[in-house]
Amino acid sequence: MSRHRNIRNIDLDDELDDYDDDADYCGRSYEEEPMSPSTAKFLYQRPRLSSQLVHGTKLSEFIAEEASGSDELHNEAQEIFHFDEDSSTSVTPKTTKSHKVADQTKTPAQKQNLKVQLPSIQQLKISEQKHTRSGSKSPARGASTTTAAAPATVPKLSALDMALAATPNYKPRSRPTNTKESINLIIIGHVDAGKSTLMGHLLFQMGYVEQKVVNKYKQDASRCGKSSFFYAWILDETEEERARGVTMDIARASFETPNRKINILDAPGHKDFIPNMITGASKADAALLVVNSTRGEFETAFDQGGQTREHSLLVRSLGVSQMVVAVNKLDTIDWSKERYDEISAKIENGHVEAGEKVYVMPKADPAVIKCNYNLVHDSFVCFF
Ligand SMILES: Nc1nc2c(ncn2[C@@H]2O[C@H](COP(=O)(O)OP(=O)(O)OP(=O)(O)O)[C@@H](O)[C@H]2O)c(=O)[nH]1
């Protein structure tokens, strides 16, 4: 048997009758179920609008009655709507199509009886008229905007004013007055050039690290067989970095000169940690390139695919245009002036061509370094 119904010849009236008969299709008909007296007393008895809106009733009176003694509601209604009760003009409701069809079937007498006169409202003024358009070409629209002007008593509040009013104790945050110029200085260079040692020693000489801390690092480092790294431990703080004697991530520290605050970003020199170095370089304002002057070491780091060139090119591409070069480990070349000149010429020729400002400065053994005091006073006069 086909499960499809022949809907072409279906009688819709019969179908609707059947639908009424099956009112309790889902179990029962709610209309037929008698309501218990206890339930009925909780039902809201809505007052009939037609009984209250008798001929000539003003909307303001209706609101006042509906409030039934509630002065607050009455006042609120009066604030929102402004009525002109002397007006003779009335507003007739818009009739829908179905209403028009129903009206055509009624006699004129019936129409007269059924006519409900709505309250006379000449002007319905809404405060805070927001929908005015200055560029409107319609005269009617322009006229309505002038009559709908907000009364002088209603203050016009912007969203910001209202937010500020909601937070009465709001005070704009003032910036601290003691602001030194802050410089992010990234320390770059080939692995084992002596970056962490140089910075650790600098911080110690400036009094940012206590003597007893350095003594402890000295003891612990020598116990681990890394005695020469005790200054580097001031910045290399993780267990793995100390055990391997290699900086793996950017280490941060800062010191202050009379006019500036210098934020040190000690970058890892090993090529495996180039991404970490780039992260630090992206925040840097200036760079300190540390080169190892030891014979063979400088050449490896500078010419033979080391990180000296790579780091300096990376920081330059990230917007760092000023760089100081510290020629380190001069003790290993017995303070040779020739070697120092050779290295500094190589560096200056390799960078000045690119328009960089490069300052090459000598750097001695950490134990005898003499640049620290002068660094504090913004002077790069060093002795070697
Ligand atoms: N002889 C001598 N050795 C130095 C000098 N500066 C640092 N060193 C030694 O060089 C080694 C490496 O020093 P680090 O400070 O760890 O070098 P680094 O550049 O920070 O190393 P990474 O961060 O791992 O790239 C350590 O054994 C230091 O003691 C120096 O001026 N002279």
Coordinates of all heavy atoms in Angstrom, one line a residue, residues 72-151:
E72 N 5.4 57.1 41.7 CA 6.7 57.0 41.0 C 6.5 56.7 39.5 O 7.1 57.3 38.6 CB 7.5 55.9 41.6 CG 8.3 56.3 42.8 CD 9.2 55.2 43.3 OE1 9.6 54.4 42.5 OE2 9.5 55.2 44.5
L73 N 5.6 55.7 39.3 CA 5.4 55.3 37.9 C 4.7 56.4 37.1 O 5.1 56.7 36.0 CB 4.5 54.1 37.9 CG 4.2 53.4 36.5 CD1 5.6 53.0 35.9 CD2 3.4 52.2 36.7
H74 N 3.9 57.2 37.8 CA 3.2 58.3 37.1 C 4.2 59.3 36.7 O 4.1 59.8 35.6 CB 2.1 58.8 38.1 CG 1.4 60.0 37.6 ND1 0.5 59.9 36.6 CD2 1.5 61.3 37.9 CE1 0.0 61.1 36.3 NE2 0.6 62.0 37.0
N75 N 5.0 59.7 37.6 CA 6.0 60.7 37.3 C 6.9 60.3 36.2 O 7.3 61.1 35.4 CB 6.9 61.0 38.6 CG 6.0 61.7 39.6 OD1 5.0 62.3 39.3 ND2 6.5 61.6 40.9
E76 N 7.3 59.0 36.3 CA 8.2 58.5 35.2 C 7.5 58.6 33.9 O 8.1 59.0 32.9 CB 8.5 57.1 35.5 CG 9.7 56.6 34.9 CD 10.1 55.2 35.3 OE1 10.0 54.9 36.5 OE2 10.4 54.4 34.4
A77 N 6.2 58.3 33.8 CA 5.5 58.4 32.6 C 5.4 59.8 32.1 O 5.6 60.1 30.9 CB 4.1 57.8 32.8
Q78 N 5.2 60.7 33.0 CA 5.1 62.1 32.6 C 6.4 62.7 32.1 O 6.5 63.6 31.3 CB 4.6 63.0 33.8 CG 3.2 62.7 34.2 CD 2.2 63.2 33.2 OE1 2.5 63.8 32.3 NE2 0.9 62.8 33.4
E79 N 7.5 62.1 32.7 CA 8.8 62.6 32.2 C 9.1 62.1 30.8 O 9.7 62.8 30.0 CB 10.0 62.1 33.1 CG 10.1 62.9 34.4 CD 11.1 62.4 35.3 OE1 12.0 61.6 34.9 OE2 11.1 62.7 36.5
I80 N 8.7 60.9 30.5 CA 9.0 60.3 29.2 C 8.2 60.9 28.1 O 8.6 61.3 27.1 CB 8.9 58.8 29.3 CG1 9.9 58.2 30.3 CG2 9.1 58.2 27.9 CD1 9.7 56.8 30.6
F81 N 6.9 61.0 28.4 CA 5.9 61.5 27.4 C 5.5 62.9 27.8 O 5.2 63.2 29.0 CB 4.7 60.6 27.3 CG 5.1 59.2 26.9 CD1 5.1 58.2 27.8 CD2 5.4 58.9 25.6 CE1 5.5 56.9 27.5 CE2 5.8 57.6 25.2 CZ 5.8 56.6 26.2
H82 N 5.4 63.8 26.8 CA 4.9 65.1 27.1 C 3.6 65.3 26.2 O 3.7 65.2 25.0 CB 6.0 66.2 26.6 CG 7.3 66.0 27.4 ND1 7.5 66.6 28.5 CD2 8.3 65.2 27.1 CE1 8.8 66.3 28.9 NE2 9.2 65.4 28.1
F83 N 2.5 65.4 26.9 CA 1.3 65.5 26.2 C 0.8 66.9 26.1 O 0.9 67.7 27.0 CB 0.2 64.7 26.9 CG 0.6 63.2 27.0 CD1 0.9 62.8 28.3 CD2 0.7 62.4 26.0 CE1 1.3 61.5 28.5 CE2 1.1 61.1 26.1 CZ 1.4 60.6 27.4
D84 N 0.1 67.2 25.0 CA -0.6 68.5 24.9 C -2.1 68.2 24.9 O -2.6 67.8 23.8 CB -0.2 69.3 23.6 CG -0.8 70.6 23.6 OD1 -1.7 70.9 24.4 OD2 -0.4 71.4 22.7
E85 N -2.8 68.3 26.0 CA -4.1 67.8 26.1 C -5.1 68.7 25.5 O -6.3 68.4 25.3 CB -4.5 67.6 27.6 CG -3.6 66.5 28.2 CD -4.0 66.2 29.6 OE1 -5.0 66.8 30.1 OE2 -3.3 65.3 30.2
D86 N -4.7 70.0 25.1 CA -5.6 70.9 24.5 C -5.8 70.7 23.0 O -6.6 71.3 22.3 CB -5.2 72.3 24.7 CG -5.2 72.7 26.2 OD1 -6.0 72.0 26.9 OD2 -4.4 73.5 26.6
S87 N -4.9 69.8 22.5 CA -4.9 69.6 21.1 C -6.2 69.0 20.6 O -6.8 68.1 21.3 CB -3.8 68.7 20.7 OG -3.9 68.4 19.4
S88 N -6.7 69.4 19.5 CA -7.9 68.8 18.9 C -7.6 67.7 17.9 O -8.4 67.0 17.5 CB -8.8 69.9 18.3 OG -8.0 70.5 17.3
T89 N -6.3 67.7 17.5 CA -6.0 66.7 16.5 C -5.8 65.4 17.2 O -5.4 65.3 18.3 CB -4.6 67.1 15.8 OG1 -3.7 67.3 16.8 CG2 -4.7 68.3 15.0
S90 N -6.3 64.4 16.5 CA -6.2 63.1 17.1 C -5.3 62.2 16.2 O -5.3 62.4 15.0 CB -7.6 62.5 17.3 OG -8.2 62.3 16.0
V91 N -4.8 61.2 16.8 CA -4.0 60.2 16.0 C -4.8 59.0 15.8 O -5.3 58.4 16.8 CB -2.7 59.9 16.8 CG1 -1.9 58.8 16.0 CG2 -1.9 61.1 17.0
T92 N -5.1 58.6 14.6 CA -5.9 57.4 14.3 C -4.9 56.3 14.1 O -3.9 56.5 13.4 CB -6.8 57.6 13.1 OG1 -6.0 58.1 12.1 CG2 -7.9 58.6 13.4
P93 N -5.3 55.1 14.5 CA -4.3 54.0 14.3 C -4.4 53.5 12.9 O -5.4 53.6 12.2 CB -4.9 52.9 15.3 CG -6.3 53.3 15.4 CD -6.4 54.8 15.3
K94 N -3.3 53.0 12.4 CA -3.2 52.5 11.1 C -3.9 51.2 11.1 O -3.7 50.3 11.9 CB -1.7 52.3 10.7 CG -1.0 53.6 10.4 CD 0.4 53.3 9.9 CE 1.1 54.6 9.6 NZ 2.5 54.3 9.2
T95 N -4.8 51.0 10.1 CA -5.5 49.7 10.0 C -4.8 48.8 9.1 O -4.3 49.2 8.0 CB -6.9 50.0 9.5 OG1 -6.8 50.7 8.3 CG2 -7.8 50.7 10.5
T96 N -4.8 47.5 9.4 CA -4.2 46.5 8.6 C -5.2 46.1 7.6 O -6.4 46.5 7.6 CB -3.8 45.3 9.4 OG1 -4.9 44.8 10.0 CG2 -2.8 45.7 10.4
K97 N -4.8 45.3 6.6 CA -5.7 44.9 5.5 C -6.9 44.1 6.1 O -8.0 44.3 5.7 CB -4.9 44.0 4.6 CG -4.8 44.5 3.2 CD -4.0 43.5 2.3 CE -3.8 44.2 0.9 NZ -3.0 43.3 0.1
S98 N -6.6 43.2 7.0 CA -7.7 42.4 7.5 C -8.7 43.2 8.2 O -9.9 42.9 8.2 CB -7.1 41.3 8.5 OG -6.4 42.0 9.5
H99 N -8.3 44.2 8.9 CA -9.2 45.1 9.6 C -10.1 45.8 8.6 O -11.3 46.0 8.8 CB -8.5 46.2 10.4 CG -7.9 45.6 11.7 ND1 -6.7 46.0 12.2 CD2 -8.3 44.5 12.4 CE1 -6.4 45.3 13.3 NE2 -7.4 44.4 13.4
K100 N -9.5 46.2 7.5 CA -10.3 46.9 6.4 C -11.4 46.0 5.9 O -12.5 46.4 5.7 CB -9.4 47.4 5.3 CG -8.6 48.7 5.6 CD -7.8 49.1 4.5 CE -7.0 50.3 4.8 NZ -5.9 50.6 3.8
V101 N -11.0 44.8 5.7 CA -12.0 43.8 5.1 C -13.2 43.6 6.1 O -14.3 43.6 5.8 CB -11.3 42.5 4.8 CG1 -12.4 41.4 4.4 CG2 -10.3 42.6 3.7
A102 N -12.8 43.6 7.4 CA -13.9 43.4 8.4 C -14.7 44.6 8.5 O -15.9 44.5 8.7 CB -13.2 43.1 9.8
D103 N -14.1 45.8 8.4 CA -14.9 47.0 8.4 C -15.9 47.2 7.3 O -17.0 47.7 7.5 CB -14.0 48.2 8.4 CG -13.3 48.4 9.7 OD1 -13.7 47.8 10.7 OD2 -12.3 49.2 9.8
Q104 N -15.5 46.6 6.1 CA -16.5 46.7 5.0 C -17.8 46.0 5.2 O -18.8 46.3 4.6 CB -15.8 46.2 3.7 CG -14.7 47.2 3.2 CD -13.9 46.6 2.1 OE1 -14.1 45.4 1.7 NE2 -12.9 47.3 1.7
T105 N -17.7 44.9 6.0 CA -18.9 44.1 6.3 C -19.9 44.8 7.3 O -21.0 44.3 7.5 CB -18.5 42.7 6.8 OG1 -17.8 42.9 8.0 CG2 -17.7 42.0 5.8
K106 N -19.4 45.8 8.0 CA -20.2 46.4 9.1 C -21.0 47.6 8.5 O -20.6 48.3 7.6 CB -19.3 46.9 10.2 CG -18.7 45.8 11.0 CD -17.9 46.3 12.1 CE -17.3 45.1 13.0 NZ -16.3 44.5 12.3
T107 N -22.2 47.9 9.1 CA -23.0 49.0 8.7 C -22.4 50.3 9.3 O -21.6 50.2 10.3 CB -24.4 48.8 9.3 OG1 -24.3 48.8 10.7 CG2 -25.1 47.5 8.8
P108 N -22.7 51.4 8.8 CA -22.2 52.7 9.3 C -22.5 52.9 10.8 O -21.7 53.4 11.5 CB -22.9 53.8 8.4 CG -23.2 53.1 7.2 CD -23.5 51.6 7.5
A109 N -23.8 52.4 11.2 CA -24.1 52.6 12.6 C -23.2 51.8 13.5 O -22.8 52.2 14.6 CB -25.6 52.2 12.8
Q110 N -23.0 50.5 13.0 CA -22.1 49.7 13.9 C -20.7 50.3 14.0 O -20.1 50.2 15.0 CB -22.0 48.3 13.2 CG -23.2 47.4 13.5 CD -23.1 46.1 12.7 OE1 -22.6 46.1 11.5 NE2 -23.5 45.0 13.3
K111 N -20.3 50.8 12.8 CA -18.9 51.4 12.8 C -18.8 52.5 13.8 O -17.9 52.7 14.5 CB -18.6 52.0 11.4 CG -18.2 50.9 10.5 CD -17.8 51.5 9.2 CE -17.4 50.5 8.1 NZ -17.2 51.1 6.8
Q112 N -20.0 53.3 13.9 CA -20.0 54.5 14.8 C -19.9 54.0 16.3 O -19.2 54.6 17.1 CB -21.3 55.3 14.6 CG -21.4 56.6 15.4 CD -20.3 57.6 15.0 OE1 -19.9 57.6 13.8 NE2 -19.8 58.3 15.9
N113 N -20.6 52.9 16.6 CA -20.6 52.4 18.0 C -19.3 51.8 18.3 O -18.8 51.9 19.5 CB -21.7 51.3 18.1 CG -23.1 51.9 18.1 OD1 -23.2 53.1 18.4 ND2 -24.1 51.1 17.7
L114 N -18.7 51.1 17.4 CA -17.4 50.4 17.7 C -16.2 51.4 17.7 O -15.1 51.0 18.0 CB -17.2 49.3 16.7 CG -18.1 48.1 16.8 CD1 -18.0 47.2 15.6 CD2 -17.9 47.4 18.1
K115 N -16.4 52.6 17.2 CA -15.3 53.4 17.0 C -14.7 53.8 18.4 O -15.4 54.3 19.3 CB -15.7 54.7 16.3 CG -14.5 55.6 15.9 CD -15.0 56.8 15.2 CE -13.8 57.6 14.8 NZ -14.2 58.9 14.2
V116 N -13.5 53.5 18.6 CA -12.9 53.9 19.8 C -11.9 55.0 19.6 O -11.0 54.9 18.7 CB -12.1 52.6 20.4 CG1 -11.3 53.0 21.6 CG2 -13.0 51.5 20.7
Q117 N -12.1 56.1 20.2 CA -11.3 57.2 20.0 C -10.0 57.1 20.9 O -10.2 57.0 22.1 CB -12.0 58.5 20.3 CG -11.2 59.7 19.9 CD -11.9 61.0 20.1 OE1 -13.1 61.0 20.1 NE2 -11.2 62.1 20.2
L118 N -8.9 57.1 20.3 CA -7.7 57.0 21.0 C -7.4 58.3 21.6 O -7.9 59.3 21.2 CB -6.6 56.5 20.1 CG -6.7 55.0 19.8 CD1 -5.5 54.6 18.9 CD2 -6.7 54.1 21.0
P119 N -6.6 58.4 22.7 CA -6.3 59.6 23.3 C -5.6 60.6 22.3 O -4.9 60.2 21.4 CB -5.3 59.2 24.4 CG -4.9 57.9 24.1 CD -6.0 57.2 23.3
S120 N -5.9 61.8 22.5 CA -5.4 62.9 21.7 C -3.9 63.1 22.1 O -3.6 63.5 23.2 CB -6.2 64.2 21.8 OG -7.5 63.9 21.6
I121 N -3.1 62.9 21.1 CA -1.6 63.2 21.4 C -1.2 64.1 20.3 O -1.1 63.7 19.1 CB -0.8 61.9 21.4 CG1 -1.4 60.9 22.4 CG2 0.6 62.2 21.7 CD1 -0.8 59.6 22.4
Q122 N -0.9 65.3 20.6 CA -0.4 66.2 19.6 C 1.1 66.0 19.3 O 1.5 65.9 18.2 CB -0.6 67.6 19.9 CG -0.3 68.6 18.8 CD -0.4 70.0 19.2 OE1 -0.1 70.3 20.4 NE2 -0.7 70.9 18.3
Q123 N 1.8 66.0 20.4 CA 3.2 65.9 20.3 C 3.7 64.8 21.2 O 3.5 64.9 22.4 CB 3.9 67.2 20.6 CG 3.7 68.2 19.6 CD 4.4 69.5 20.0 OE1 4.4 69.8 21.2 NE2 4.8 70.3 19.0
L124 N 4.3 63.9 20.7 CA 5.0 62.8 21.5 C 6.5 63.1 21.4 O 7.2 62.9 20.5 CB 4.7 61.4 21.0 CG 5.4 60.3 21.7 CD1 4.9 60.3 23.2 CD2 5.1 59.0 21.0
K125 N 7.0 63.8 22.5 CA 8.4 64.2 22.5 C 9.2 63.2 23.2 O 8.9 62.8 24.3 CB 8.5 65.6 23.2 CG 7.8 66.7 22.4 CD 8.0 68.0 23.2 CE 7.3 69.1 22.5 NZ 7.4 70.3 23.3
I126 N 10.2 62.8 22.6 CA 11.1 61.8 23.2 C 12.4 62.5 23.4 O 13.0 63.1 22.5 CB 11.3 60.6 22.3 CG1 10.0 59.9 22.0 CG2 12.3 59.6 22.9 CD1 10.0 58.8 21.0
S127 N 12.8 62.5 24.7 CA 14.0 63.1 25.0 C 15.2 62.4 24.4 O 15.1 61.2 24.1 CB 14.2 63.2 26.5 OG 14.2 61.9 27.0
E128 N 16.3 63.0 24.2 CA 17.5 62.5 23.6 C 17.2 62.0 22.2 O 17.3 60.8 21.9 CB 18.1 61.3 24.5 CG 18.8 61.8 25.7 CD 20.1 62.4 25.3 OE1 20.8 62.0 24.4 OE2 20.5 63.4 26.0
Q129 N 16.7 62.9 21.3 CA 16.4 62.5 20.0 C 17.8 62.2 19.3 O 18.5 63.1 19.0 CB 15.7 63.6 19.3 CG 15.2 63.3 17.9 CD 14.3 62.2 17.8 OE1 14.6 61.1 17.5 NE2 13.0 62.4 18.1
K130 N 18.0 61.0 19.0 CA 19.3 60.6 18.5 C 19.3 60.4 17.0 O 20.3 60.2 16.3 CB 19.8 59.3 19.1 CG 20.2 59.5 20.5 CD 21.5 60.0 20.7 CE 21.9 60.1 22.1 NZ 23.2 60.8 22.3
H131 N 18.1 60.3 16.4 CA 18.0 59.9 15.0 C 17.9 61.0 14.0 O 17.5 60.8 12.9 CB 16.8 59.0 14.8 CG 16.9 57.8 15.8 ND1 17.8 56.8 15.6 CD2 16.2 57.5 16.9 CE1 17.6 55.9 16.6 NE2 16.7 56.4 17.4
T132 N 18.3 62.2 14.4 CA 18.3 63.3 13.4 C 19.5 63.2 12.5 O 20.6 62.8 12.8 CB 18.5 64.6 14.2 OG1 19.7 64.6 14.9 CG2 17.3 64.9 15.1
R133 N 19.2 63.5 11.2 CA 20.3 63.4 10.2 C 20.5 64.8 9.6 O 19.6 65.4 9.1 CB 19.9 62.5 9.1 CG 19.8 61.1 9.5 CD 19.4 60.2 8.3 NE 19.1 58.8 8.8 CZ 18.8 57.9 8.0 NH1 18.8 58.1 6.7 NH2 18.6 56.7 8.5
S134 N 21.6 65.3 9.8 CA 21.9 66.7 9.4 C 21.8 66.9 7.9 O 21.3 67.9 7.4 CB 23.3 67.1 9.8 OG 24.3 66.2 9.3
G135 N 22.1 65.8 7.1 CA 22.1 66.0 5.7 C 20.8 65.6 5.0 O 20.7 65.4 3.8
S136 N 19.7 65.6 5.8 CA 18.4 65.2 5.3 C 17.8 66.2 4.3 O 17.8 67.4 4.6 CB 17.4 65.0 6.5 OG 16.1 64.8 6.0
K137 N 17.3 65.7 3.2 CA 16.7 66.7 2.2 C 15.2 66.8 2.4 O 14.6 67.6 1.8 CB 17.1 66.2 0.8 CG 18.5 66.4 0.4 CD 18.8 65.9 -0.9 CE 20.3 66.1 -1.3 NZ 20.7 65.5 -2.6
S138 N 14.6 65.8 3.1 CA 13.2 65.8 3.3 C 12.8 66.9 4.2 O 13.2 67.0 5.3 CB 12.7 64.5 3.8 OG 11.4 64.6 4.4
P139 N 11.8 67.9 3.8 CA 11.4 68.9 4.7 C 10.7 68.4 5.9 O 10.7 68.9 7.0 CB 10.5 69.8 3.8 CG 10.1 69.0 2.6 CD 11.2 68.0 2.5
A140 N 9.8 67.3 5.6 CA 9.1 66.8 6.8 C 10.0 66.2 7.8 O 9.8 66.5 9.0 CB 8.2 65.6 6.2
R141 N 11.0 65.6 7.4 CA 12.0 65.0 8.3 C 12.7 66.1 9.1 O 12.9 66.1 10.3 CB 13.0 64.1 7.6 CG 13.8 63.3 8.5 CD 14.8 62.4 7.8 NE 14.1 61.3 7.2 CZ 14.7 60.4 6.5 NH1 16.0 60.5 6.1 NH2 14.1 59.3 6.0
G142 N 13.0 67.2 8.3 CA 13.7 68.3 9.0 C 12.8 69.0 10.0 O 13.3 69.3 11.1
A143 N 11.5 69.1 9.7 CA 10.6 69.7 10.6 C 10.5 68.9 11.9 O 10.4 69.4 13.0 CB 9.2 69.9 10.0
S144 N 10.4 67.6 11.7 CA 10.2 66.7 12.9 C 11.4 66.8 13.8 O 11.3 66.7 15.0 CB 10.0 65.2 12.5 OG 11.2 64.7 12.0
T145 N 12.6 67.0 13.3 CA 13.8 67.1 14.1 C 13.7 68.4 15.0 O 14.2 68.4 16.1 CB 15.1 67.1 13.3 OG1 15.0 68.1 12.3 CG2 15.3 65.8 12.6
T146 N 13.2 69.4 14.4 CA 13.1 70.7 15.2 C 12.1 70.6 16.3 O 12.4 71.0 17.4 CB 12.8 71.9 14.3 OG1 11.6 71.6 13.6 CG2 13.9 72.2 13.4
T147 N 11.0 69.9 16.1 CA 10.0 69.8 17.2 C 10.4 68.8 18.2 O 9.9 68.8 19.3 CB 8.6 69.4 16.6 OG1 8.8 68.2 15.8 CG2 8.0 70.5 15.7
A148 N 11.3 67.9 17.8 CA 11.6 66.8 18.7 C 12.9 67.2 19.5 O 13.6 66.3 20.0 CB 11.9 65.5 18.0
A149 N 13.2 68.4 19.7 CA 14.4 68.8 20.4 C 14.2 68.4 21.9 O 13.1 68.5 22.4 CB 14.6 70.3 20.3
A150 N 15.3 68.0 22.5 CA 15.2 67.6 23.9 C 15.0 68.8 24.8 O 15.5 69.9 24.5 CB 16.5 66.9 24.3
P151 N 14.2 68.6 25.9 CA 13.9 69.7 26.8 C 15.2 70.1 27.5 O 16.1 69.3 27.7 CB 12.9 69.1 27.8 CG 12.8 67.7 27.5 CD 13.4 67.4 26.2

